[in-house]
Amino acid sequence: MICVFDLRGRVALVTGGSRGLGFGIAQGLAEAGCSVVVASRNLEEASEAAQKVERKIQC
């Protein structure tokens, strides 16, 4: 995949990142090389989303 945006060395805080649009944004930022912090009102959902993003990036 050709990456148009190179965000290596950057950090992003994604609120509402455990599902929906926020989750998609978190995945896109991570794929562009950004370190992502997933924030949510539910700690368990945020942890699961962060693990999913991390697994996808490692593939």
Side-chain angles (χ1 to χ4, degrees), residues 35-57:
S35 295
V36 178
V37 178
V38 175
S40 175
R41 290 181 285 174
N42 184 310
L43 179 60
E44 187 175 314
E45 289 179 6
S47 295
E48 289 176 16
Q51 290 173 2
K52 287 179 185 176
V53 170
E54 188 173 9
R55 279 194 302 266
K56 183 172 182 174
I57 299 308

Side-chain angles (χ1 to χ4, degrees), residues 1-53:
M1 178 175 136
I2 298 173
C3 188
V4 177
F5 299 102
D6 181 11
L7 298 176
R8 288 177 287 185
R10 304 285 182 128
V11 178
L13 169 63
V14 180
T15 58
S18 63
R19 58 184 147 159
L21 186 59
F23 181 71
I25 290 171
Q27 285 185 315
L29 290 168
E31 288 173 1
C34 192
S35 295
V36 178
V37 178
V38 175
S40 175
R41 290 181 285 174
N42 184 310
L43 179 60
E44 187 175 314
E45 289 179 6
S47 295
E48 289 176 16
Q51 290 173 2
K52 287 179 185 176
V53 170

